[in-house]
Amino acid sequence: MKSISIIHGDITQADVDAIVNAANPKMLGGGGVDGAIHRAAGPELLRACFAIEAVNGVRCPYGDARITIAGNLKAKYVIHAVGPIYKKFVDPRAVLISAYEKALSLALENDCQSVALPAISCGAYGYPPAEAAQIAMSVCQQPKYGALEIRFYLFDEEMVAIWQQEQASGVVVE
Ligand code: APR
């Protein structure tokens, strides 16, 4: 099992094969992580997103992920994962699990050895962080992702503490 590390920092600085973005279905940028990644990656990233076919304005459904080049970022790829808007879904847990799983599967399919993950849906999308941390950790600890070195990049101390507490509890929720 490769490592799962928790880092207090800006995910755009991650020196990994793939940086996961907390995107929205349009995949044309936004605030939070999305804004930071697009600012750091440069306009080439937006062009790559724009090139993905949109069906009724949707390039990536909730709970799904898409992979693009990474522009000026150190990473080779950006994986755009769309988590649930917490209050919009009857079962936001299933959608968040799916978003992490699709993102990690894309990393494996593209021969990535290391991947940086943000706290998907824990900002504008309003997911309660402690519940999200439990989901994120239990997905990442699944043996099928054992070949990946996973780094969680959390933006503030409170989130770091929540993720560290979850990692220490080591409870893998099926
Ligand atoms: N590095 C790491 N984490 C960050 C960074 C950064 N540079 N900037 C913000 N974060 C953290 C936030 O503090 C939060 O804990 O990422 C987490 C996810 O928050 P959001 O970026 O708001 O993502 P999300 O809740 O999934 O909402 C997605 O917001 O920015 C828009 O276009 C995006 O519509 C989409 C929605």
Side-chain angles (χ1 to χ4, degrees), residues 2-7 133-134 137-138 140-141 150 152 160-172:
K2 276 270 182 78
S3 66
I4 298 177
S5 51
I6 294 166
I7 296 161
Q134 181 197 59
M137 277 298 178
S138 63
C140 291
Q141 285 162 351
I150 294 171
F152 277 100
V160 171
I162 290 170
W163 252 254
Q164 283 173 337
Q165 195 174 352
E166 188 52 42
Q167 189 173 48
S169 76
V171 174
V172 178

Side-chain angles (χ1 to χ4, degrees), residues 9-11 22-24 29-34 36 119-125 153 155-156 159:
D10 175 356
I11 200 167
N24 62 56
V33 166
D34 203 0
I120 298 173
S121 284
C122 290
Y125 278 7
Y153 271 77
F155 214 36
D156 54 62
M159 292 297 278

Side-chain angles (χ1 to χ4, degrees), residues 3 33 35 62 73 97 134 147 173:
S3 66
V33 166
Y62 291 101
L73 292 168
I97 289 170
Q134 181 197 59
V173 181

Side-chain angles (χ1 to χ4, degrees):
M1 163 63 102
K2 276 270 182 78
S3 66
I4 298 177
S5 51
I6 294 166
I7 296 161
H8 178 199
D10 175 356
I11 200 167
T12 64
Q13 304 307 306
D15 190 0
V16 290
D17 295 329
I19 291 177
V20 175
N21 181 19
N24 62 56
K26 287 192 177 68
M27 275 185 63
L28 296 179
V33 166
D34 203 0
I37 286 175
H38 275 276
R39 273 192 301 280
E44 194 187 350
L45 180 60
L46 187 58
R47 279 198 294 273
C49 291
F50 200 76
I52 292 175
E53 187 198 358
V55 178
N56 299 326
V58 173
R59 288 185 174 78
C60 183
Y62 291 101
D64 206 343
R66 297 287 185 269
I67 192 164
T68 66
I69 46 92
N72 303 323
L73 292 168
K74 291 183 200 126
K76 198 172 171 193
Y77 301 110
V78 173
I79 294 173
H80 308 261
V82 181
I85 299 174
Y86 186 66
K87 293 196 182 320
K88 254 192 162 180
F89 284 86
V90 172
D91 185 2
R93 175 187 180 78
V95 181
L96 188 59
I97 289 170
S98 173
Y100 275 112
E101 292 200 333
K102 295 278 188 175
L104 294 177
S105 299
L106 273 176
L108 286 175
E109 287 157 23
N110 288 274
D111 302 321
C112 296
Q113 295 185 340
S114 58
V115 62
L117 292 169
I120 298 173
S121 284
C122 290
Y125 278 7
Y127 213 109
E131 203 182 317
Q134 181 197 59
I135 291 165
M137 277 298 178
S138 63
V139 169
C140 291
Q141 285 162 351
Q142 291 177 70
K144 61 185 170 184
Y145 302 122
L148 281 171
E149 183 204 332
I150 294 171
R151 301 181 196 171
F152 277 100
Y153 271 77
L154 302 165
F155 214 36
D156 54 62
E157 286 289 354
E158 186 209 346
M159 292 297 278
V160 171
I162 290 170
W163 252 254
Q164 283 173 337
Q165 195 174 352
E166 188 52 42
Q167 189 173 48
S169 76
V171 174
V172 178
V173 181
E174 295 306 324

